Amino acid sequence: FSTLAEALPLPWHRTSPRHLFQLRVVDETSTPTTAFIYRELDEDRAPCAGYIQCVLPFEHPVDDFVTMILGVLGCGLWWSGLAGYLATWSVAEKPTSFTTLRRWCRRYHGLDVQDPDAMMLRVTEGLPGTNWLTAIGKPFMARRELVPEVTLAPAWDEAIEVAALPQGMLVRAGDLPTLGDLNTLDRPVAYAEVAQRLEPYVLASPPDFPWWSVEEKET
């Protein structure tokens, strides 16, 4: 871990971010179950933002996961963030992967799918979605004129918590994440309410996933 930590800070002779620098630490190169992915971007070169993606095994303790997320959100300014059940996919087999994910998403409404390298070009315009944890940063609030006291004033379902953070706010849809398996009638009601309440701030036209219907706006 000390070696990885030394690789992240900028060298003393560099005064600007390393544009497009990426660090991937994964347990499997194509579809990891444990991963730390860091992408660095120079906002002076492009109107976009870098990202951090953390992936933990399905059975990992939720409390540890939340602690890790809060630690990441406490590191500095950020635009937005999502946490919950995430599908990983193979870069080498992207079309095939997304064909399968399309079927999964029709059954599991709590499953999140992201293409961060595409979304990072648009993430300053809108949220990349909503999930079990949806974090909204102060830069995003300022750009979209989102005032928590006004936007979030109406009462939420009792399962939903809204917490203020030093650099933004965090909306939590229930105590535990859910896949929202419609085959077992497990409809993610709290997820749906968060999605409806934050819909005006979600990116209206996200980058389209391969092999998903553009006309039906499946992405």
Side-chain angles (χ1 to χ4, degrees):
F1 288 106
S2 60
T3 302
L4 294 177
E6 291 171 359
L8 287 177
L10 288 169
W12 66 268
H13 62 284
R14 296 289 299 277
T15 58
S16 61
R18 296 159 290 188
H19 193 54
L20 298 179
F21 169 79
Q22 185 180 59
L23 172 68
R24 288 173 55 92
V25 184
V26 299
D27 63 345
E28 207 276 324
T29 56
S30 59
T31 53
T33 58
T34 303
F36 173 84
I37 303 171
Y38 171 84
R39 170 74 83 173
E40 192 171 299
L41 287 174
D42 186 349
E43 293 187 20
D44 290 335
R45 292 190 176 190
C48 50
Y51 64 84
I52 295 175
Q53 187 174 52
C54 302
V55 181
L56 294 174
F58 192 85
E59 66 279 2
H60 194 87
V62 171
D63 289 344
D64 289 351
F65 181 65
V66 173
T67 299
M68 180 188 69
I69 294 298
L70 292 176
V72 172
L73 296 179
C75 289
L77 288 172
W78 39 271
W79 285 95
S80 61
L82 301 176
Y85 286 121
L86 174 75
T88 60
W89 44 272
S90 171
V91 175
E93 298 290 344
K94 190 173 182 178
T96 304
S97 297
F98 275 86
T99 299
T100 300
L101 293 178
R102 182 169 172 262
R103 295 194 298 268
W104 287 6
C105 289
R106 289 181 171 182
R107 173 177 175 179
Y108 301 107
H109 280 194
L111 180 65
D112 190 22
V113 180
Q114 293 290 332
D115 185 353
D117 282 326
M119 182 59 72
M120 69 183 182
L121 303 176
R122 306 281 304 282
V123 74
T124 60
E125 304 171 23
L127 299 177
T130 60
N131 204 265
W132 174 54
L133 301 181
T134 304
I136 306 175
K138 286 185 176 179
F140 183 89
M141 291 183 192
R143 173 166 292 188
R144 295 295 302 271
E145 298 181 348
L146 193 163
V147 181
E149 293 78 5
V150 177
T151 305
L152 306 178
W156 290 79
D157 180 274
E158 62 180 10
I160 299 172
E161 298 178 1
V162 181
L165 300 176
Q167 302 297 346
M169 67 179 184
L170 183 67
V171 182
R172 180 169 176 165
D175 292 334
L176 299 172
T178 177
L179 281 172
D181 187 351
L182 299 191
N183 284 11
T184 61
L185 302 182
D186 178 22
R187 184 172 181 270
V189 177
Y191 281 38
E193 182 171 350
V194 171
Q196 289 174 349
R197 189 74 65 90
L198 297 179
E199 188 272 337
Y201 305 100
V202 174
L203 187 62
S205 300
D208 290 303
F209 292 148
W211 293 72
W212 289 34
S213 172
V214 176
E215 290 76 13
E216 297 179 20
K217 297 185 177 180
E218 288 183 330
T219 300

